[in-house]
Amino acid sequence: MSGRFAPTPSGPLHFGSLVAALGSYCQARHHRRDWLLRIEDVDTPRVVAGAADSILRDLEAFGFEWDGPVVYQSQRFELYREHLERLVADNAVYACACSRRQLREQGVASGPLGQIYPGNCRRRALPLDAGSIRLDVATAGRVGFVDRVYGDFDLDLPRDVGDFVLRRADGIYAYHLAVVVDDALQAIDEVVRGADLLENTCLHLYLQQRLGFAAPAYLHLPLVSTVDGQKLSKQTGAEGLRVEQASSLLCAALRHLGQQTPAELAGAPARDILERAVATWNPRAIPAIRAARAETFDA
Ligand code: GLU
């Protein structure tokens, strides 16, 4: 059984992604699970050349060791296609010709994940190559789970989300399909990732049901936010990490996750810090807040 870290290679590892890597690593290793690395390059136009290699180099420099070969979503389109076909055979999906703009003009409501698709094309039986492909959630009802940090969490899928896209009109498989297929085929039994994906987890649980996959456990981690409260990301100016500062950055990431970092750790080699972090890891100390500013991030 395994945990995983699944970065999108749209830029270098930054402090927010270091926190996700560290949290997933400690949770997996503390429970003697494998820790797998998956590069989420399914959305090829968003991929930045060289970013995946730079993330792998940084993870190594920070002392992380992963199990097995690195998996690249860009090499797994065939698997996503096969699983989408199963949903087609089950009448669980349909083609949709609506553009985002048309929906805006139609005045559709917005929910926690953006536009709530009102089902315009659900009964039109359009050919599957007519646009995007959506999962029909009309009968999904409330879908929830107990997060290991945030506790009970649920969404009413038809009301709060609507039928969501599994393959975009440009032929690109959606993150939701890729992540559900990959987590199942890689036998991930616990998913640890940023709290920005809490809502998405309800979509993933429903998709797992439709595909007959067992649901993994979920543990979300508080995000690192910028000074104005946005998620730290490439878009909000996150900078790459300086490998010379690996020890202090790891200690800062551990504190962000509520873990103790005794003074004698300062300046210890990255590998020693990680080893101790795995041994003393306490997920109950992770603060159940959506995001917090990190001590290292002053932008
Ligand atoms: N690829 C996503 C990201 O970099 C993480 C997805 C996940 O862990 O499920 O934000």
Side-chain angles (χ1 to χ4, degrees):
M1 289 300 174
S2 309
R4 58 24 167 223
F5 175 52
T8 302
S10 51
L13 196 70
H14 56 78
F15 189 71
S17 41
L18 177 68
V19 165
L22 181 64
S24 62
Y25 185 81
C26 289
Q27 177 70 5
R29 290 283 190 245
H30 185 78
H31 293 99
R32 305 195 186 290
R33 286 190 179 86
D34 283 351
W35 186 67
L36 310 184
L37 208 53
R38 183 169 76 227
I39 299 294
E40 298 213 315
D41 54 358
V42 66
D43 187 354
T44 38
R46 270 187 68 205
V47 170
V48 170
D53 286 345
S54 118
I55 291 172
L56 297 182
R57 264 197 316 274
D58 281 355
L59 287 172
E60 260 180 339
F62 277 74
F64 292 96
E65 285 174 1
W66 53 90
D67 295 287
V70 178
V71 165
Y72 290 82
Q73 288 186 328
S74 56
Q75 294 169 7
R76 295 166 69 84
F77 294 160
E78 192 52 28
L79 288 170
Y80 309 144
R81 191 186 60 75
E82 277 169 29
H83 286 83
L84 189 59
E85 266 171 20
R86 275 167 53 183
L87 295 167
V88 171
D90 261 4
N91 276 325
V93 295
Y94 62 88
C96 167
C98 303
S99 69
R100 225 177 253 275
R101 189 160 142 229
Q102 277 168 344
L103 294 171
R104 215 174 22 245
E105 284 166 7
Q106 189 188 331
V108 305
S110 267
L113 294 174
Q115 289 178 334
I116 302 170
Y117 185 66
N120 304 346
C121 294
R122 200 185 281 151
R123 307 262 164 267
R124 289 179 69 197
L126 296 170
L128 284 176
D129 58 1
S132 59
I133 297 184
R134 291 182 184 270
L135 182 70
D136 184 341
V137 302
T139 59
R142 294 195 85 81
V143 178
F145 63 106
V146 185
D147 185 83
R148 294 213 154 126
V149 169
Y150 296 88
D152 288 324
F153 193 90
D154 66 22
L155 284 180
D156 183 318
L157 284 194
R159 191 195 64 194
D160 303 332
V161 182
D163 299 341
F164 55 94
V165 171
L166 297 184
R167 196 183 74 194
R168 295 181 348 202
D170 59 8
I172 291 188
Y173 294 101
Y175 156 69
H176 303 305
L177 179 66
V179 78
V180 162
V181 169
D182 289 340
D183 284 340
L185 299 189
Q186 293 188 282
I188 305 296
D189 63 341
E190 187 172 46
V191 171
V192 178
R193 59 186 179 189
D196 54 330
L197 295 168
L198 269 168
E199 283 81 7
N200 289 268
T201 298
C202 299
L203 282 58
H204 300 170
L205 288 163
Y206 185 61
L207 193 47
Q208 285 154 5
Q209 280 175 32
R210 299 301 315 232
L211 285 167
F213 292 145
Y218 285 93
L219 188 163
H220 288 84
L221 303 168
L223 297 178
V224 180
S225 61
T226 62
V227 69
D228 52 1
Q230 286 177 286
K231 177 192 170 190
L232 181 62
S233 68
K234 271 74 75 172
Q235 289 74 33
T236 58
E239 288 176 24
L241 300 174
R242 305 242 314 268
V243 168
E244 317 82 76
Q245 297 178 345
S247 303
S248 57
L249 287 166
L250 280 173
C251 286
L254 283 168
R255 286 191 289 275
H256 184 81
L257 294 174
Q259 310 297 303
Q260 310 226 325
T261 54
E264 65 269 20
L265 270 192
R271 256 170 217 268
D272 295 357
I273 294 176
L274 275 184
E275 204 175 301
R276 189 190 171 280
V278 167
T280 61
W281 175 245
N282 176 13
R284 284 182 304 280
I286 300 172
I289 47 174
R290 278 286 190 133
R293 266 189 79 198
E295 55 188 279
T296 54
F297 188 68
D298 304 315

